[in-house]
Amino acid sequence: MVSATTPVWSDETLDRLKKTADPLADDCMVALIADGDIAEANAVLARIDTETDWPDDTPAPLQAYLDATAQLPPGTDLARIASAQHVFSTFGLQFGVSLLCRSLPVLYAGKIGGSQVLAATGKLTDHFARRASETLRFILNAAEPGGLAPGGQGLLTIRKVRLMHAAVRHYAKSSTHWPDGCWPQDWGEPINQEELVGTMLAFSLEAVEGLRELGVELGASVQEDQLYLWKTIGLVLGIVPEAMPADITAARQIWAALERRNFGASDAGHLLTQSHIAFLQQNLPDIAHGLVPDLMATLLGRRNAQYLGLRNTGWWAWLVDTLKMIFRIKTRLAGSSHTAQGFMVVYGDALMDGLQRYWAGPNPGRPFRIPDRLKT
Ligand code: HEM
């Protein structure tokens, strides 16, 4: 258990979180596989984000999981969630750029555990477009107004992803893929609480930092609301409440500790970065391909960019500056009147939706299925 007196960012607490997974989802997954084999577990995953009426004979561990993830935790401040979702929609395009060019790639700098699991599932590297566009879809579903209401698409998607994580955990631990033929103990649990908190902060704190780099400065309370939204998503996704930062200041301290403890260069990180760049370049004209790594390096900052093998050539600085200027004008527009704000929300939503569909492509590939074994 995490102690109330020790800060989350202390090594003592983070070491404990590294060894903690998600018993509710893990027990459910183990029971599904034991009771009904992998095909049954895959069948559940295939319908868990669309089905709301489960039959009376639903296995008890699955029913317990469905009940626990059916709605937001009691006491959630719904007005605050709605306000954060509104801001997300208003700056849809800017958040999209920040998430794709800072939040997602910064996670590849985690040099042990996380990147290896992502690379080993093979999904990210073999089916990168589908995997990345599904992550964007997850964010859009959760951040769109109403997405976290009972039965809302965001809530249903979070419930599915939490079970997918449990499936990956199960197979990571039973695979022989790893350096010594088994999951290394010093990596902690696969997809552990420390990594989950780090990912939650990448989508909130780091996304807001990316926005600032793009010329969009959000006010202090608006930043706190974004963190609150993501903490709420994180709770439904299985992050333990004790691991949550109280506010942005605490979030910064945790992020700094995670960078110190876990960040560095790795082969898996480089592989994932290259796949990510290729994914973003696929629908751009050849002449603009250089923009992608430059924009990523600008948003990531020198040290994290170096871990990923990225160097800012400076050739695209003019376009990045132009983007910032356009985004600044839009920020002023968003703050100017209710009509302009309403326009920005509709426009931001449509752009993000378009971005997700555009990158998913006409043939986004097979949906996630629990593998028989992790790819070697
Ligand atoms: C706030 C935390 C997180 C969020 C919101 C999140 C989101 C997602 C989403 C949306 C998917 C589904 C993608 C698909 O349909 O293929 C997914 C799958 C996956 N996630 Fe996470 N994730 C989080 C944390 C993590 C962490 C910490 C790790 C690893 C250390 C991880 C590893 C994976 C893997 C291996 C898969 C499935 C296989 C794949 O498609 O490659 N996730 N996650």
Side-chain angles (χ1 to χ4, degrees):
M1 220 35 218
V2 177
S3 143
T5 50
T6 318
V8 181
W9 55 90
S10 71
D11 280 328
E12 189 190 340
T13 307
L14 290 171
D15 284 345
R16 242 187 334 252
L17 291 174
K18 193 189 266 305
K19 293 187 196 123
T20 312
D22 179 9
L24 177 73
D26 293 341
D27 290 352
C28 175
M29 184 45 66
V30 168
L32 280 177
I33 291 172
D35 285 356
D37 73 34
I38 295 175
E40 174 59 24
N42 271 323
V44 168
L45 275 180
R47 55 194 240 255
I48 198 167
D49 58 344
T50 49
E51 188 149 340
T52 44
D53 280 335
W54 289 79
D56 292 341
D57 61 350
T58 300
L62 175 59
Q63 193 57 57
Y65 177 77
L66 295 172
D67 291 345
T69 52
Q71 40 193 316
L72 298 180
T76 302
D77 184 341
L78 297 178
R80 222 174 153 192
I81 294 285
S83 160
Q85 288 171 327
H86 180 81
V87 168
F88 187 89
S89 294
T90 306
F91 298 104
L93 179 63
Q94 293 89 329
F95 267 114
V97 173
S98 181
L99 287 162
L100 286 167
C101 295
R102 178 159 170 147
S103 302
L104 282 170
V106 82
L107 294 168
Y108 310 148
K111 67 177 184 295
I112 57 159
S115 293
Q116 283 72 9
V117 171
L118 286 170
T121 58
K123 296 277 171 194
L124 263 171
T125 40
D126 293 356
H127 308 288
F128 201 93
R130 192 198 58 79
R131 168 70 172 79
S133 85
E134 280 305 315
T135 304
L136 205 51
R137 173 51 51 202
F138 170 100
I139 295 168
L140 294 185
N141 287 346
E144 79 185 357
L148 297 179
Q153 196 51 56
L155 209 50
L156 294 176
T157 311
I158 298 171
R159 168 196 264 186
K160 174 177 182 156
V161 168
R162 183 169 172 182
L163 215 47
M164 280 170 67
H165 286 159
V168 171
R169 232 178 252 125
H170 182 76
Y171 282 90
K173 289 181 91 169
S174 55
S175 167
T176 54
H177 166 90
W178 312 109
D180 292 327
C182 62
W183 176 257
Q185 289 298 310
D186 57 343
W187 288 5
E189 289 290 313
I191 314 190
N192 60 56
Q193 290 285 332
E194 184 189 28
E195 290 169 337
L196 284 166
V197 170
T199 309
M200 186 275 289
L201 291 179
F203 291 152
S204 51
L205 185 75
E206 285 292 289
V208 168
E209 291 295 329
L211 236 60
R212 181 175 300 127
E213 287 291 329
L214 288 167
V216 181
E217 188 82 41
L218 298 181
S221 70
V222 176
Q223 291 184 35
E224 293 288 354
D225 286 350
Q226 284 302 311
L227 179 64
Y228 185 79
L229 169 66
W230 274 99
K231 278 171 32 174
T232 308
I233 294 170
L235 288 172
V236 186
L237 196 64
I239 304 181
V240 292
E242 297 87 341
M244 293 294 183
D247 52 25
I248 291 274
T249 307
R252 286 211 181 94
Q253 278 164 310
I254 299 176
W255 185 259
L258 297 182
E259 283 191 317
R260 170 179 56 78
R261 285 164 59 89
N262 301 331
F263 279 26
S266 71
D267 290 346
H270 285 172
L271 182 71
L272 292 164
T273 304
Q274 288 311 314
S275 301
H276 193 95
I277 290 172
F279 154 69
L280 292 177
Q281 286 172 332
Q282 69 185 341
N283 289 316
L284 291 178
D286 285 357
I287 195 166
H289 279 194
L291 168 66
V292 174
D294 269 25
L295 184 57
M296 273 170 58
T298 305
L299 292 192
L300 284 164
R302 186 180 301 202
R303 196 179 42 186
N304 287 337
Q306 257 173 10
Y307 290 152
L308 303 184
L310 294 174
R311 195 176 57 86
N312 192 345
T313 64
W315 289 341
W316 292 89
W318 62 274
L319 190 52
V320 175
D321 286 345
T322 311
L323 259 182
K324 286 185 189 177
M325 198 178 71
I326 295 171
F327 286 161
R328 263 191 219 109
I329 293 169
K330 286 187 173 153
T331 309
R332 261 183 243 132
L333 180 68
S336 63
S337 74
H338 281 299
T339 318
Q341 265 192 31
F343 168 75
M344 290 284 287
V345 169
V346 175
Y347 163 88
D349 273 353
L351 270 170
M352 277 292 268
D353 211 52
L355 197 65
Q356 191 268 333
R357 283 178 207 284
Y358 185 65
W359 262 296
N363 181 18
R366 278 192 314 129
F368 174 85
R369 290 180 65 79
I370 303 172
D372 291 331
R373 64 186 176 87
L374 285 176
K375 270 184 98 142
T376 52

